[in-house]
Amino acid sequence: MNFRAAGILRATAMEASRLVLRRAFARSASSAKRKVVILGANGGIGQPLSLLMKLSPLVSDLGLYDIVGTPGVAADVSHVNSRAQVAGFAGEENLGKCLKDADLVIIPAGVPRKPGMDRDDLFNINAGIVQTLCAAVAKNCPKALVNIISNPVNSTVPIAAEVFKKSGTYDPSRLFGVTTLDVVRARTFLASAKKLNPSEVDLPVIGGHAGATILPLFSQASPKVSLSTKELDALTKRTQDGGTEVVKAKAGKGSATLSMAYAGALFAEACLKGLNGVNNVIECTYVESSVVPGLSFFSSKVRLGKEGVDEILELGSLSDYEQKGLEAMKDELKKSIEKGRKFVQSGGGGGGGKKKKK
């Protein structure tokens, strides 16, 4: 046997070994019982997210909740031939039943952004919804991981934190703002600009989840790329304005629901992998953090584990362009965080739950 043939055999054996390990993990991961609950399951994000979570082999039980319409959504997705058992709950009187024994709660509930709607409009409606739902989470499944999708995330995550503090159940390692859509967009836009395979592009997006607080770190992209200042400006701006791009394309009749559902499912699966003991699960997410002095919540890479956040990773080396972007976002992000905190501390809202349906 020559060296080349021997090398091929060794490579084939190694690949076969890796395939066996992957299949073994898939079996063990899918055997773990994990209940996922979606609050706002009858909405524009909630319905496709419900389908995607039903398709996940990591989900054994799927609870779907909304003010109205959820039994129909549950009946529909329950016909999909995958592992998860589905139950639908409608009405505030059934919220606790839906949340019981949840390992992961995903909250896409709220109204979408529409043309002419400013951040205050969005905040005033969705803040009360998030407050009401998180109070129910604190009462019925205080140990669950909580993924907040409801906008504006920069403020709704601090709202959730204050609600959990008031109930005595707050664990910062278990509360997440889902910023995965920003990462998905940055990867997609960079791949398109540089003629790369989108599935092979990786780069972090840090900061928050609105406008200039969204900062893609193209200097840390893999594979490495060279971008002119003009290209960098265009890609950064498009990532920051991705939501507006969709709202305009839908002519005011919708927002980013399908791509948000996809991103929400990606992050949910990462959380479930962490709970199941998979090593080195790293995602960008908006969490309580001290990585940037003066900002108590910030989105950056974190390592997920059996208790939620295992470790918040350092930002790494930033380019001059990115450093300027970081400095420029600080005031806006700090104001958004404080706005969320004061909403709960001043006793605001609490009655917004009836507007959850998208």
Side-chain angles (χ1 to χ4, degrees):
M1 181 183 300
N2 61 35
F3 286 114
R4 183 173 182 276
I8 291 172
L9 284 175
R10 280 196 299 273
T12 303
M14 288 174 65
E15 181 56 36
S17 176
R18 283 194 290 267
L19 183 60
V20 169
L21 288 172
R22 284 198 297 269
R23 287 176 174 171
F25 164 70
R27 285 194 297 270
S28 64
S30 62
S31 66
K33 289 203 164 191
R34 296 295 179 192
K35 179 178 178 179
V36 173
V37 169
I38 299 174
L39 304 182
N42 192 37
I45 296 170
Q47 289 200 34
L49 180 59
S50 298
L51 173 60
L52 291 170
M53 297 317 297
K54 176 67 170 86
L55 291 169
S56 173
L58 305 180
V59 180
S60 60
D61 296 276
L62 183 60
L64 306 180
Y65 171 82
D66 214 318
I67 292 299
V68 296
T70 339
V73 177
D76 197 355
V77 299
S78 71
H79 294 177
V80 174
N81 60 328
S82 61
R83 177 193 182 203
Q85 298 298 303
V86 184
F89 299 84
E92 292 181 14
E93 68 277 10
N94 291 311
L95 178 54
K97 295 176 186 176
C98 185
L99 287 168
K100 189 176 185 298
D101 300 323
D103 295 293
L104 172 65
V105 178
I106 311 172
I107 306 181
V111 299
R113 188 156 61 93
K114 299 174 183 177
M117 180 182 283
D118 64 23
R119 291 174 189 173
D120 283 339
D121 295 331
L122 193 65
F123 175 86
N124 290 332
I125 297 171
N126 288 351
I129 293 173
V130 171
Q131 183 180 21
T132 299
L133 295 178
C134 287
V137 170
K139 181 178 179 180
N140 294 283
C141 53
K143 296 295 185 183
L145 302 190
V146 179
N147 292 359
I148 304 287
I149 292 175
S150 306
N151 274 317
V153 166
N154 292 355
S155 297
T156 54
V157 174
I159 286 172
E162 292 301 313
V163 172
F164 295 142
K165 286 175 185 177
K166 279 194 169 186
S167 70
T169 64
Y170 183 47
D171 181 348
S173 67
R174 295 176 179 271
L175 175 62
F176 305 88
V178 180
T179 59
T180 313
L181 181 54
D182 301 324
V183 179
V184 167
R185 284 172 171 153
R187 291 171 176 173
T188 302
F189 300 158
L190 179 62
S192 177
K194 291 297 180 180
K195 305 297 187 289
L196 302 171
N197 182 341
S199 65
E200 295 176 357
V201 174
D202 186 24
L203 67 100
V205 179
I206 65 170
H209 187 54
T213 70
I214 300 168
L215 183 61
L217 302 184
F218 291 110
S219 71
Q220 297 182 21
S222 174
K224 285 287 184 184
V225 293
S226 177
L227 297 171
S228 67
T229 302
K230 183 178 179 180
E231 288 175 318
L232 194 54
D233 281 337
L235 287 169
T236 299
K237 185 68 173 171
R238 191 179 180 200
T239 303
Q240 293 172 340
D241 292 344
T244 301
E245 180 179 318
V246 176
V247 169
K248 288 181 177 178
K250 291 187 176 182
K253 296 180 180 179
S255 59
T257 53
L258 300 177
S259 54
M260 184 64 250
Y262 168 73
L266 285 181
F267 187 71
E269 284 215 331
C271 288
L272 292 172
K273 289 175 183 177
L275 287 175
N276 290 344
V278 180
N279 292 324
N280 215 35
V281 179
I282 296 174
E283 294 289 340
C284 290
T285 179
Y286 185 68
V287 294
E288 183 174 307
S289 171
S290 59
V291 71
V292 176
L295 295 175
S296 52
F297 287 87
F298 196 79
S299 182
S300 61
K301 283 184 177 181
V302 307
R303 181 174 286 107
L304 301 169
K306 292 183 177 181
E307 303 297 326
V309 176
D310 258 0
E311 181 185 7
I312 298 175
L313 306 181
E314 296 297 324
L315 298 183
S317 178
L318 304 185
S319 68
D320 290 343
Y321 183 95
E322 291 159 355
Q323 191 62 51
K324 288 178 183 176
L326 176 58
E327 292 302 319
M329 78 167 68
K330 286 182 179 179
D331 283 347
E332 181 180 337
L333 189 50
K334 187 174 183 178
K335 288 176 184 176
S336 296
I337 293 167
E338 287 306 308
K339 187 174 184 178
R341 281 181 171 154
K342 288 178 180 177
F343 178 83
V344 179
Q345 292 170 354
S346 65
K354 293 186 182 297
K355 296 181 181 178
K356 274 195 288 299
K357 185 182 175 186
K358 285 190 172 53

